[in-house]
Amino acid sequence: MKLALKDARAFFAKPDPTRAGLLIYGPDAMRIAMRRQEVIAALVGPQGEEEMRLTRIPSSDLRKDPAMLMDAIKAQGFFPGARVAFVEDATDTVAKAIDAALKDWRQGDATILVTCGQLTPRSALRKMFEGHNNAYAAAIYADPPGRDEIEAELRKAGVTDIPPDAMGDLMDLGRVLEPGDFRQTVEKLSLYKHGDATPVTSDDIANCAPATSEASLDDALDIVAEGRFQEIGPILTKLEAQGVAAVRLCIGATQHFRKLHLAASDPKGPDAGIARARPPVPYKRKDRMLRQARAWGTYKLETALRLLTDTDLQLRSASTAPQMALMERALIRLAMMNRR
């Protein structure tokens, strides 16, 4: 069965051990790793691996010995509790071995957990799990964390007093940071506020957020907003080398141009509009963004936001086009738009 995003989040947090298996797949290896860690921890607990209730099976080993998975799900250990047979980096070459294990699975056997990279709808593994009546398939994409996920991370870190403005800042941060970086930021915030009973503020979050990631994105967005299209290619190459995904760049660009539109369309003037932006625009960037908003004007900013929305939808679709190339084309079109 196919798990929708909302249902998948609930299942990852509290997986059902009576289900035969779970397939987690998607283009982002870090997000896949975090989700399977969450599922394994929920099923076998912190001592599961020490108690030998977790069996790791590399895909290459399973390809050589297809009976490994069947042996793993049937094996009985010395310690009570749920067990997991984890097949890592699987491909369709091991689909027959996994299919045989799923067909022979019975209540009390180990849960079969399989992780993969991106799979097409024609993939044998994907068809197998989506068509099974007692197993799930969950696709993980480079979507920013939802409010419920962020709140769960905060509770886990012991950060509880989060006013609406600070929560908005965290949600914006979650849209531009990689999952691992965001989790580290929340942990850093927890240590930063240790022994401090006052509510979390935007300044607290800014002090804990990674400075380098935000600065590099700001540089790219300023280049686009100021029409310096010749510089777009080199800075995107640098960002891609640092691991910045095209979807993350699109989200950052959309946020930037929304703030410019807010400033340009405010009836009291750009200064009043930029002051209403949430999260607040840093003091050092305020004058620069005001100049950008005045140069673009409301009409061109609305056109820019439509272009970014279309690009975002294209990046999240099943298109096989290179994502960074799509993003680069959109940013060049934006930069040229402001030069007309």
Side-chain angles (χ1 to χ4, degrees):
M1 293 178 281
K2 186 188 295 186
L3 274 179
L5 179 60
K6 183 178 179 181
D7 296 330
R9 289 172 179 169
F11 187 84
F12 295 149
K14 193 176 181 180
D16 183 356
T18 66
R19 297 295 179 182
L22 171 66
L23 169 70
I24 306 176
Y25 67 93
D28 193 314
M30 172 62 75
R31 284 175 166 82
I32 299 296
M34 290 178 65
R35 289 307 190 184
R36 57 99 168 157
Q37 288 171 359
E38 184 181 0
V39 172
I40 290 173
L43 282 169
V44 304
Q47 304 299 320
E49 192 159 9
E50 295 176 16
E51 295 175 353
M52 296 177 290
R53 291 188 288 115
L54 171 64
T55 304
R56 297 177 183 270
I57 305 174
S59 181
S60 56
D61 291 350
L62 183 60
R63 189 165 54 248
K64 296 173 185 175
D65 183 5
M68 286 182 68
L69 182 57
M70 188 75 75
D71 293 341
I73 68 170
K74 298 295 182 182
Q76 295 297 322
F78 294 104
F79 297 91
R83 293 174 296 112
V84 173
F86 168 42
V87 182
E88 189 171 14
D89 297 329
T91 63
D92 282 348
T93 58
V94 296
K96 289 184 179 179
I98 296 172
D99 187 38
L102 282 173
K103 287 178 178 176
D104 201 47
W105 190 91
R106 299 292 182 269
Q107 291 293 333
D109 290 347
T111 300
I112 300 169
L113 176 61
V114 181
T115 60
C116 308
Q118 182 67 296
L119 298 176
T120 67
R122 297 186 299 275
S123 162
L125 281 171
R126 184 170 164 183
K127 286 181 178 179
M128 180 197 314
F129 277 86
E130 289 181 351
H132 200 283
N133 62 3
N134 195 37
Y136 286 130
I140 304 297
Y141 296 108
D143 295 320
R147 186 184 182 94
D148 55 337
E149 292 180 282
I150 292 175
E151 289 175 345
E153 288 286 350
L154 291 168
R155 285 194 299 270
K156 192 184 301 182
V159 182
T160 56
D161 197 351
I162 311 288
D165 286 351
M167 179 58 75
D169 292 346
L170 281 171
M171 292 185 70
D172 285 335
L173 199 59
R175 294 186 183 100
V176 296
L177 291 181
E178 294 298 323
D181 293 337
F182 182 74
R183 180 171 290 181
Q184 289 179 355
T185 300
V186 172
E187 291 172 354
K188 186 176 178 181
L189 181 63
S190 175
L191 293 173
Y192 186 83
K193 295 295 289 183
H194 182 70
D196 183 355
T198 61
V200 173
T201 65
S202 296
D203 288 340
D204 294 334
I205 295 169
N207 290 334
C208 296
T212 54
S213 173
E214 185 176 341
S216 62
L217 280 174
D218 284 344
D219 291 342
L221 298 176
D222 285 337
I223 286 171
V224 174
E226 292 164 7
R228 290 145 50 197
F229 62 91
Q230 304 95 330
E231 301 174 43
I232 291 175
I235 198 166
L236 286 193
T237 300
K238 180 180 177 183
L239 288 172
E240 189 173 18
Q242 294 173 352
V244 178
V247 171
R248 177 180 170 192
L249 187 57
C250 188
I251 291 170
T254 303
Q255 292 173 340
H256 184 85
F257 277 84
R258 279 177 180 165
K259 288 178 180 178
L260 296 185
H261 182 265
L262 184 68
S265 61
D266 194 289
K268 295 181 180 179
D271 292 88
I274 209 77
R276 292 195 297 115
R278 291 294 180 270
V281 175
Y283 175 76
K284 293 180 180 180
R285 290 188 50 73
K286 184 177 179 181
D287 289 342
R288 190 169 193 171
M289 290 185 68
L290 282 172
R291 287 195 299 271
Q292 292 171 7
R294 292 188 179 104
W296 276 81
T298 304
Y299 175 76
K300 282 197 290 187
L301 285 168
E302 289 173 353
T303 306
L305 287 170
R306 283 196 295 271
L307 172 60
L308 286 168
T309 300
D310 292 341
T311 304
D312 185 62
L313 291 172
Q314 197 170 2
L315 290 173
R316 296 170 193 270
S317 71
S319 171
T320 58
Q323 293 204 331
M324 193 56 82
L326 288 173
M327 194 64 227
E328 182 176 1
R329 183 182 68 176
L331 295 181
I332 291 174
R333 288 178 63 190
L334 286 174
M336 294 296 292
M337 191 184 302
N338 194 32
R339 295 173 64 87
R340 294 172 185 171

